[in-house]
Amino acid sequence: MGQNEEILKLFARSEELLETIRRGKQFTEELLRENERLRLRIVQLEKELLDANGEEMARVRGENDQLRRRIEWLERRFGEVEAENKDFVQRYLQVEEQNEGLANLYVASHQLHSTLDLNEVIQIIVEILLNLIGAEEFAIFIMDEEAKELIFAGGEAGARRFPKGRIPLGQGIEGAVAARKEPYRGDGDLMNQGSETLICLPLKLKEHLVGVISIYKLLGQKRGFTALDYELLNLLAGHAATALVSSKLYQGTERKLRTIEGFMNLLRSH
Amino acid sequence: MAERKFLVVDDSATMRQLLIMALRKLDGVGPLTLVEAFDGKDGFEKFQAGNFDLVLTDIKMPNMDGLELIGKLREVNQNVPIIIISTKGEEADIQRGLSMGANEYLLKPISTIRLKEIIGKLFA
C-alpha cells in the first residue's frame, strides 16, 4: 500500500513535470513565433525606411541639379554682364576722350577765327601748338609770294634755328614742304635725312599756300603725337590758313581804306 | 548745393577757354562761377576781390608768374586749393610748385578727364 502511494505520487509529479515541460515548449514556440514576427517587422521597417530615404534622396538630388543649373546660368550671366560693364566703361572712356578732343578742336577753331589781327592769329597758333599739341620747339612761317620765300612769323626757339628769318622756296624741309604743298612727317619720310623736324605742315587755303608750321621738339612729358594731335594739326593747317588770309586781307583793306579816306579828305580840303 | 567760385589764371586765352569748357562740364561740384585772369597780377587782384573755392594757374606768365602768385595767395589764404597747370614738367619745377603751396600739379597738354578727377577729389 505504502509502495503504491509512493508510485502514485511519483506519477503525479511526473505528470506535473510533463505539464510544465509542455507549457515551456508552448511558451518557447510562442517566443519563436514572436521573434519571427518581430524580425519580419524589422525587415519591413528597414525596407520602408530605405524606400523613404531613396525618395528623399531623389528629390534632393533633383533640387541640387536645378540649383546647379541655376548657378551655372547665373555665373554665365554674371560673366556676360561683367563683360558688358567693361565694354561700357571702355566706351565711356572713349566718349570722354572724344569729347576732350572735340573740345580741343572747338577751342582751337573758335580762337583762330576770333580775331582779324595778324599778330593775334599767330599768337593763337603759338598757344595751340604749345598748350594743346604740347610742342616745345616749333616755328610758324608765312609765305612771301613776291619773294618766293617763307618768312619766320613766330614760335618757340624758331628764331634761334632760323637766324635769317627767311627760307627760300624749295630749301630745307620747310622750303620743300612749301614747294610741294605736302606735309612732312619725320618718321619714314623720304625727305628725312637726319633732320630734327618731327612734322612740317603746309598751311593751305584750297591749293593756295599761305605758310608752313614746323615742330622740332615736343615737351618732355609728351611721348609722341597722338591721333588727336594729328586731327588738331590737320584742323590747324586749314583753319590757321583761313585765319591768316582773313587777317591779311583785313589789314590790306584797312590800309586801303585809310589811304582812300586820306585822299578824300585831301580832295575835300581843296 | 552751394555755389562755388573758381579762378582760372593763364596768359593764353586758348588755354583759359579750354579750361572753362572743361570746368563747365564738372559733375557733383554744384553751380559754378568761373572767373578768368590773364596773368598773376590780375589773378591776385581778382582773388582778393572775391571769395574763391579753387585757383587754377599757369606758371609762365608775364607781369607776375604763377609761383609768385601762389606765394602771395598763401600769405592771405592758407586753405584755398591751388592747381598748377603748366608746360614745365621737370621734377624740380613740380617740387617747387608744390613746395610753394600748390595742392596739385598738372602738365600741359592737359587731360581734362584727369582735371575733372582731381577737382572731384578735392570737393568730395
Side-chain angles (χ1 to χ4, degrees):
Chain A
M1 183 63 186
Q3 207 174 12
N4 282 340
E5 281 177 7
E6 196 71 25
I7 290 166
L8 283 170
K9 278 180 185 176
L10 282 171
F11 186 73
R13 275 186 195 165
S14 65
E15 278 292 314
E16 281 173 15
L17 192 64
L18 277 173
E19 186 59 30
T20 307
I21 290 166
R22 215 168 18 246
R23 282 182 196 158
K25 186 191 168 200
Q26 198 177 353
F27 182 68
T28 306
E29 282 171 355
E30 278 176 16
L31 273 179
L32 284 171
R33 274 196 302 274
E34 186 61 18
N35 184 42
E36 182 67 12
R37 192 185 66 79
L38 287 173
R39 201 178 61 79
L40 282 172
R41 183 68 188 141
I42 288 167
V43 170
Q44 194 180 8
L45 286 171
E46 279 178 346
K47 189 174 177 299
E48 282 176 9
L49 189 65
L50 272 174
D51 288 348
N53 281 345
E55 279 174 19
E56 184 64 14
M57 286 283 282
R59 192 181 62 77
V60 169
R61 198 171 289 123
E63 278 181 8
N64 276 351
D65 286 344
Q66 273 186 341
L67 286 171
R68 194 176 298 114
R69 279 196 296 275
R70 180 91 180 137
I71 288 168
E72 281 170 3
W73 183 82
L74 285 171
E75 280 177 348
R76 198 168 52 246
R77 193 75 194 105
F78 180 75
E80 285 168 4
V81 170
E82 207 174 26
E84 278 175 13
N85 277 346
K86 278 184 188 165
D87 190 42
F88 281 135
V89 169
Q90 194 63 33
R91 281 191 210 173
Y92 175 76
L93 286 174
Q94 281 174 352
V95 168
E96 277 282 289
E97 281 171 12
Q98 280 173 354
N99 278 345
E100 189 174 291
L102 285 171
N104 284 3
L105 293 173
Y106 170 79
V107 169
S109 167
H110 183 266
Q111 287 295 316
L112 280 170
H113 298 294
S114 65
T115 179
L116 285 169
D117 184 285
L118 183 63
N119 291 330
E120 283 181 14
V121 170
I122 288 165
Q123 180 55 32
I124 289 164
I125 298 172
V126 168
E127 287 180 8
I128 292 168
L129 289 169
L130 187 66
N131 295 313
L132 304 191
I133 304 288
E136 187 175 350
E137 291 186 14
F138 54 92
I140 302 154
F141 298 92
I142 293 178
M143 184 67 193
D144 179 346
E145 288 179 29
E146 284 179 13
K148 300 287 179 201
E149 284 181 330
L150 291 169
I151 304 168
F152 175 72
E156 300 281 326
R160 175 174 57 79
R161 289 172 181 272
F162 303 98
K164 289 181 186 169
R166 284 178 172 266
I167 303 172
L169 209 61
Q171 189 177 306
I173 286 171
E174 288 76 10
V177 165
R180 287 165 38 164
K181 298 180 189 173
E182 290 292 332
Y184 158 85
R185 276 166 68 165
D187 48 348
D189 194 289
L190 288 173
M191 288 193 293
N192 185 17
Q193 293 170 343
S195 161
E196 288 180 11
T197 308
L198 300 175
I199 197 162
C200 184
L201 296 167
L203 306 179
K204 292 190 296 185
L205 187 60
K206 292 196 175 172
E207 281 310 302
H208 176 71
L209 186 90
V210 179
V212 159
I213 289 175
S214 247
I215 299 176
Y216 309 104
K217 191 180 173 188
L218 295 175
L219 291 167
Q221 59 267 28
K222 185 101 179 162
R223 302 263 178 238
F225 291 111
T226 62
L228 173 65
D229 292 332
Y230 288 119
E231 277 185 52
L232 253 175
L233 287 166
N234 278 335
L235 173 127
L236 193 62
H239 286 250
T242 313
L244 287 169
V245 169
S246 302
S247 60
K248 280 166 86 174
L249 286 174
Y250 181 75
Q251 277 188 348
T253 310
E254 280 281 286
R255 205 167 39 244
K256 280 178 188 166
L257 187 66
R258 278 197 298 274
T259 309
I260 292 167
E261 277 174 352
F263 184 65
M264 293 296 285
N265 288 337
L266 193 70
L267 282 176
R268 278 194 208 102
S269 64
H270 284 83
Chain B
M1 201 176 276
E3 187 174 278
R4 295 186 195 277
K5 206 169 170 184
F6 291 180
L7 179 63
V8 179
V9 191
D10 200 307
D11 60 326
S12 159
T14 309
M15 201 59 211
R16 289 200 304 272
Q17 196 185 358
L18 187 72
L19 287 172
I20 280 166
M21 271 189 76
L23 293 172
R24 279 193 187 131
K25 288 182 197 157
L26 275 178
D27 293 325
V29 181
L32 274 182
T33 299
L34 300 166
V35 177
E36 294 179 52
F38 49 83
D39 61 26
K41 191 168 174 286
D42 185 37
F44 187 62
E45 284 168 6
K46 282 178 175 158
F47 184 84
Q48 284 188 306
N51 196 13
F52 287 93
D53 298 290
L54 176 70
V55 177
L56 298 106
T57 182
D58 187 13
I59 289 187
K60 201 175 156 190
M61 290 182 289
N63 300 322
M64 185 194 289
D65 69 16
L67 294 178
E68 195 181 341
L69 170 67
I70 295 169
K72 281 183 166 286
L73 291 178
R74 285 293 176 236
E75 282 174 17
V76 296
N77 188 316
Q78 290 292 312
N79 302 320
V80 66
I82 301 173
I83 300 175
I84 293 175
I85 299 171
S86 173
T87 53
K88 293 161 84 74
E90 296 289 323
E91 191 55 35
D93 298 317
I94 297 169
Q95 287 308 317
R96 198 176 303 125
L98 295 174
S99 67
M100 287 295 287
N103 299 69
E104 293 284 348
Y105 198 110
L106 270 177
L107 294 173
K108 289 180 187 175
I110 62 154
S111 154
T112 50
I113 299 168
R114 177 88 185 107
L115 177 68
K116 287 179 199 171
E117 274 176 16
I118 287 173
I119 295 175
K121 277 184 195 166
L122 284 172
F123 293 98

